Amino acid sequence: MLEALLADTVLANDNVPTLVARTRPHAPVQFALKRAMDVGGAFAGLIVLAPILLLIAIMIRLESKGPVFFRQLRTGRNEVPFEILKFRSMYVEQCDHAGVRLTVDGDPRVTRMGRFLRKTSLDEIPQLWNVVVGHMSLVGPRPHVPDMVAGGMNYADLVRGYENRHLVRPGLTGLAQSRGLRGPTTDSDTAIRRILSDVEYIRTFSILLDIRILVRTIINELRGGTGS
């Protein structure tokens, strides 16, 4: 039976936030329903958005040489790595497959089409396929690259218990993103708030919460997007 994290946050003597956890079982029916919603929603999204996906692919190829998709290793459920799909938004020779170098405003590595895709979050649409095959969910903590850095520190050093966010499948969007906690992770306080939101999501998970997060995310994007 899958167990979800119940956590309180304390401040250790060295001022590093620490997730103190205990566990409780979640009803398997809830997760079965979540998976059904993921597969159905992702398939529907790929079908409905197919013309837009084709147009984006053409625009990417017209602007710069190289593959349409960008593939990168991310950490999935139970810390099992998987290859995430995104529309390529950088010049091929400057793509950062390790994800170590953070993207900043006006980053010269990003193409003109890439800036638009990132701003509107359209570069994330291919991850619907990751949802279909079971690497991801529609809602969950956003998948990080291994040894993700935030605020100049490794996330695992920034928040003790960071690995607990990997108890569930990562998501296309999550509680942190629905709260506007997106973009570059140069600020440690914002980065910590993201992790705490991830753990809060796992602790309070329900299908209704997933629906609320999806609705909030759609509204945020329609208002102009919060992507970097």
Side-chain angles (χ1 to χ4, degrees):
M1 181 178 292
L2 180 61
E3 293 184 330
L5 185 68
L6 287 173
D8 298 310
T9 305
V10 300
L11 203 59
N13 292 332
D14 53 3
N15 290 324
V16 177
T18 303
L19 301 178
V20 181
R22 60 189 187 279
T23 59
R24 73 175 177 192
H26 262 321
V29 174
Q30 285 264 30
F31 285 97
L33 184 57
K34 177 179 174 68
R35 181 61 186 149
M37 188 170 72
D38 284 342
V39 175
F43 262 126
L46 287 171
I47 293 171
V48 171
L49 296 173
I52 296 176
L53 296 175
L54 179 60
L55 179 60
I56 290 174
I58 293 171
M59 295 298 291
I60 291 173
R61 290 302 300 270
L62 286 176
E63 182 176 10
S64 62
K65 295 180 180 180
V68 168
F69 298 111
F70 173 70
R71 302 169 187 268
Q72 188 179 60
L73 202 64
R74 297 289 178 98
T75 302
R77 184 175 60 173
N78 297 325
E79 301 191 21
V80 176
F82 71 97
E83 197 173 62
I84 200 171
L85 279 177
K86 300 179 73 171
F87 276 125
R88 180 172 59 83
S89 60
M90 293 185 177
Y91 295 102
V92 173
E93 63 276 8
Q94 299 185 63
C95 286
D96 180 17
H97 290 277
V100 175
R101 184 179 170 187
L102 298 177
T103 306
V104 297
D105 290 338
D107 198 313
R109 298 175 297 164
V110 181
T111 64
R112 285 176 298 176
M113 184 63 184
R115 282 193 288 273
F116 169 74
L117 293 175
R118 284 170 172 263
K119 177 62 179 176
T120 58
S121 297
L122 290 173
D123 60 324
E124 312 282 0
I125 294 180
Q127 289 164 42
L128 288 171
W129 180 248
N130 287 115
V131 175
V132 169
V133 298
H135 296 145
M136 295 177 62
S137 174
L138 292 177
V139 180
R142 282 295 295 162
H144 289 172
V145 296
D147 299 319
M148 179 81 167
V149 174
M153 296 177 62
N154 189 292
Y155 253 124
D157 297 324
L158 192 64
V159 182
R160 291 195 185 96
Y162 161 79
E163 67 280 358
N164 289 312
R165 73 191 298 276
H166 300 135
L167 287 173
V168 298
R169 285 188 180 93
L172 274 172
T173 187
L175 184 59
Q177 289 67 40
S178 72
R179 290 172 170 171
L181 299 173
R182 295 188 58 180
T185 53
T186 52
D187 177 66
S188 60
D189 288 341
T190 301
I192 290 170
R193 288 172 63 197
R194 289 186 188 184
I195 301 305
L196 298 184
S197 291
D198 291 340
V199 172
E200 180 185 342
Y201 168 75
I202 295 171
R203 176 171 54 84
T204 61
F205 162 73
S206 71
I207 295 298
L208 184 58
L209 177 59
D210 273 18
I211 294 172
R212 285 202 297 262
I213 290 172
L214 286 170
V215 170
R216 261 189 238 156
T217 299
I218 292 171
I219 291 173
N220 287 343
E221 296 304 328
L222 291 176
R223 287 176 174 172
T226 53
S228 58

